[in-house]
Amino acid sequence: MLVLVDTKDARAIRNKDNILGMYDLMINKRKPEEAAARFMAPAYIQHNPLIADGADSLGKFFGQIIRRPKDRRRW
């Protein structure tokens, strides 16, 4: 079994759960704006030059992607 987080490290477990929760809400449940608001700091610094800084900007960016027709989706 692959262990990614020390089960005795409460902070690491919390961080892992937050990341998995964000991805689940943003991608699987298709609620990127809600995920960004819930899990990210408002002053989030984005390293992708195509997306502005801020959690709100990231949520809006992913929101545009998931609203595109599947045949037009390009990451």
Side-chain angles (χ1 to χ4, degrees):
M1 173 188 251
L2 178 63
V3 178
L4 299 176
V5 176
D6 181 356
T7 58
K8 296 175 189 145
D9 184 345
R11 182 176 177 195
I13 291 170
R14 184 192 69 227
N15 290 342
K16 175 193 64 104
D17 290 344
N18 283 335
I19 290 296
L20 294 176
M22 184 188 77
Y23 280 118
D24 183 50
L25 190 57
M26 185 174 283
I27 296 169
N28 297 334
K29 294 180 180 165
R30 302 172 63 87
K31 297 181 179 181
E33 292 92 350
E34 183 179 337
R38 180 174 173 191
F39 289 102
M40 302 180 80
Y44 168 76
I45 296 174
Q46 176 55 249
H47 296 90
N48 182 336
L50 301 176
I51 307 169
D53 286 343
D56 186 53
S57 295
L58 184 67
K60 287 178 182 177
F61 177 80
F62 274 94
Q64 291 173 349
I65 289 174
I66 66 170
R67 284 189 278 282
R68 290 182 185 170
K70 287 185 180 183
D71 61 333
R72 293 189 60 215
R73 195 168 294 164
R74 303 232 190 266
W75 294 81

